[in-house]
Amino acid sequence: MANQNIPYKIYLSEDEMPQTWYNVRADMKNKPAPLLNPGTGAPMGFEDLRPVFCDELIRQELDDDTRDIPIPQEIRDFYKMYRPSPLVRAYCLEKKLQTPAKIYYKFEGNNTSGSHKLNSAIAQAYYAKQQGLKGVTTETGAGQWGTALSMACGYLGLDCKVYMVKVSYEQKPFRREVMRTYGASVTPSPSETTNVGRAILKEHPGTTGSLGCAISEAVEAATSTPGYRYVLGSVLNQVLLHQSVIGLETKTALDKYGVVPDIIIGCAGGGSNLGGLISPFMGEKLRGEKDYRIIAVEPASCPSFTRGRFAYDFCDTGHVCPLAKMYTLGSNFIPSPNHAGGLRYHGMSSILSQLYHDGYMEAVSVEQTKVFEAAEMFARVEGILPAPESSHAIRVAIDEAMKCKETGEEKTIVFGLTGTGYFDMVAYEKFHNGEMSDYIPTDAELESSFATLPQVPGQD
Amino acid sequence: MANQNIPYKIYLSEDEMPQTWYNVRADMKNKPAPLLNPGTGAPMGFEDLRPVFCDELIRQELDDDTRDIPIPQEIRDFYKMYRPSPLVRAYCLEKKLQTPAKIYYKFEGNNTSGSHKLNSAIAQAYYAKQQGLKGVTTETGAGQWGTALSMACGYLGLDCKVYMVKVSYEQKPFRREVMRTYGASVTPSPSETTNVGRAILKEHPGTTGSLGCAISEAVEAATSTPGYRYVLGSVLNQVLLHQSVIGLETKTALDKYGVVPDIIIGCAGGGSNLGGLISPFMGEKLRGEKDYRIIAVEPASCPSFTRGRFAYDFCDTGHVCPLAKMYTLGSNFIPSPNHAGGLRYHGMSSILSQLYHDGYMEAVSVEQTKVFEAAEMFARVEGILPAPESSHAIRVAIDEAMKCKETGEEKTIVFGLTGTGYFDMVAYEKFHNGEMSDYIPTDAELESSFATLPQVPGQD
């Protein structure tokens, strides 16, 4: 096995861990569009957002200029419990594929939340605690974000109320129990505890819920309970800022061994992992210092980048959140019930949407059976059982490595392995039993979903 | 937070990883007693064991003399995919307990099997492959060992047949699917596929199975199928040899920072983790070079060390395996149905049994509600959701640290955190809901179980 003195796993020392987050907006010529008030259509400023978010997080959300933002010591200490995460050289996968490509992956699954979500959860919980708040509310679908937030709140002694999409609440009782272990309260959504929940239940009595609906409930719970604020695990600028720790560690580790990637690949749902992973590389690209191919991978059943509109849209089903300009499938879009692979949000980070719109990155969509094929092969040769979400990136990394095999090019491929699939075995079981199918929404379906886009001045 | 330049996590470099396993038997004056033929009572030699085990593994099983046994390169390469495992300084736990004790734990859960079992699984699968065998059979209870073996076999392209205790097969379908992801076939035990399984089903039609019964089936399947051998995840000398990698890494990491432990704590079911963790420290103790307090922790509901007999006993329910001299509760002993915390095997490693008998280590038993209390506290402050098995060690580490708080002693405590509890949420749920109870077997129950000990020349 060719080695070149690069170990299987590159771990940074604590000294080498980042002390600042990197704010890619500082290097963007076209900044992401501002959030708009859903009632008036006016851009939302600091005061407008205060009922929903913590003060310091609003400052981070609105800050398009400061390039490096210090990571508070207490967050850095927490990071040390589970970071630096390993940058793994996929020697075994390379050997299996017989490819001349060199493949690396940044593995974020070695913590109890099972994903990268903890990187932002601790930051958001920390600032809430600093502001003297009692607690935070949030929504969770598959449960990775809810688990991460529960862990962060459990550590800091902060109340944590999680609205969990009802179908997940019922199908993933273990996720719920992990959250309870960390002291969180978990409510199936839609619920009778909020106005928006009651309204949705009245209109759709048998609904099993959706992420957009759970967001609406969590926001209402935060804004109607003194001492609480709402936190979100993806999409927002602040989240991409916190997740830059992934990319910064990756870059430090690669620099240490003199490795320069040709292609950087990440899965994209709301964009938190992809945005974090690529940020320092994108910064070099924006500043014209280096060039990289950057590829976002999304499910063919929820193709925001590849088939969505770049437009202002609601972030939630109940339309209580600010409007964001992003690639979107329409806030009523819900992936086909046979979709098991996560990444089911209808929109996409405004930062990534702008960068994609400006041609700084590519996007591809993949069908889920191909994703699970890649997942299973990866599990067997690399020993890590990947989350379905992460497996989208694996699929395209393998595809690119196979192209290298055809051309003989020794490209260096880096991808983000966001998490583990221990709580996704129902989907794996379907795949093993040959019961998994693919679904691609029709143009007509998307058109009907686009019809729900809001009327905003300047909207195409 | 006091730091003394010791990082939160000590990772060794690949160069610092052990190149040999350490065979503690080489330093034992009183060697562990030999395995006996259950029919004749005669000690079993190489030829006697060949129908059951791979040749090289038998050599390791019988080798009481060679101190350092080289780890083959291919196994070392596999180890590099998930090792070295971190030695963690439990700064957050120390702070929470307000103890002057310094607490470290060696965390073996950062791999898909979720435990240390993979260290021996890859070794056993490797030697089976080297011998040109088609496959291996084994049993699994909770599923950690079965998962580990599936991973190793999936990697090497070896057939893997797992007999899974029926109650676990039904209650832990996710574990089963993980094994299938790695290509293993999983059969609920007792099954109609073996003579011993059919006999047990006939006698106890509604049985949900036991580990001892699954062992019998796996051994029969191996010995009756050409090209197959049986492998076992604990108890055996060879397993403790492979698991010495845990202790060797721990010692190297501690030596690097000049840290000398006062107390070393491990949970004990069959003894694989404890035996591996303590081995190099025990070696120093046996050679009179150093002294350490070494503590085995077992469930009060399955107290082999603290209330068992040191005697020859059957290793399995069907009595098809060799007899081993060990601390045992009798081969018919089954922990109370309310026992959720793993570590349910009736016997104990012959090596550890001999060392305990000779006074080189202590043992304590703990009740499961106390174990889950420790687990939950640990999860919240250290961020890792521990397996119930591992939490036995956490419990006693906390107890010892609290003693230090009373006395003001700054003892250094090292414990083994064998794995994660993601597949044990049913037990956590019981604990959260206040539905978990404790059970300690009565003396009369143990006496009736001891009555099943075999008649062997020299047996007390």
Side-chain angles (χ1 to χ4, degrees), chain B residues 35-51:
Chain B
L35 296 170
L36 300 184
N37 182 311
T40 66
M44 295 189 83
F46 183 78
E47 288 300 332
D48 302 312
L49 293 167
R50 289 191 75 187

Side-chain angles (χ1 to χ4, degrees), chain A residues 111-114 142-152 154 160 162 164 172-186 422-423, chain B residues 375-376 379-380 383-386 420-429 432:
Chain A
N111 70 74
T112 292
S113 79
Q144 289 183 332
W145 166 247
T147 308
L149 190 68
S150 304
M151 290 175 68
C160 179
V162 180
M164 187 170 189
K172 297 194 168 189
F174 295 169
R175 272 284 188 199
R176 182 187 73 213
E177 288 308 318
V178 177
M179 290 185 257
R180 288 179 71 196
T181 301
Y182 287 95
S185 77
V186 188
Y422 305 133
F423 293 98
Chain B
E376 189 164 274
R380 292 191 189 181
I384 295 171
L385 185 80
T420 50
Y422 306 134
F423 293 97
D424 300 289
M425 296 319 296
V426 171
Y428 273 95
E429 183 173 10
H432 296 149

Side-chain angles (χ1 to χ4, degrees), chain A residues 413-435:
Chain A
I413 299 169
V414 174
F415 71 90
L417 189 72
T418 55
T420 50
Y422 305 133
F423 293 98
D424 300 288
M425 295 320 295
V426 171
Y428 272 96
E429 184 174 10
K430 276 195 183 146
F431 176 69
H432 296 149
N433 294 343
E435 295 160 1

Side-chain angles (χ1 to χ4, degrees), chain B residues 350-364:
Chain B
S350 289
I351 294 175
L352 294 181
S353 294
Q354 188 65 50
L355 289 167
Y356 178 63
H357 188 71
D358 291 345
Y360 287 102
M361 49 189 276
E362 307 165 31
V364 295

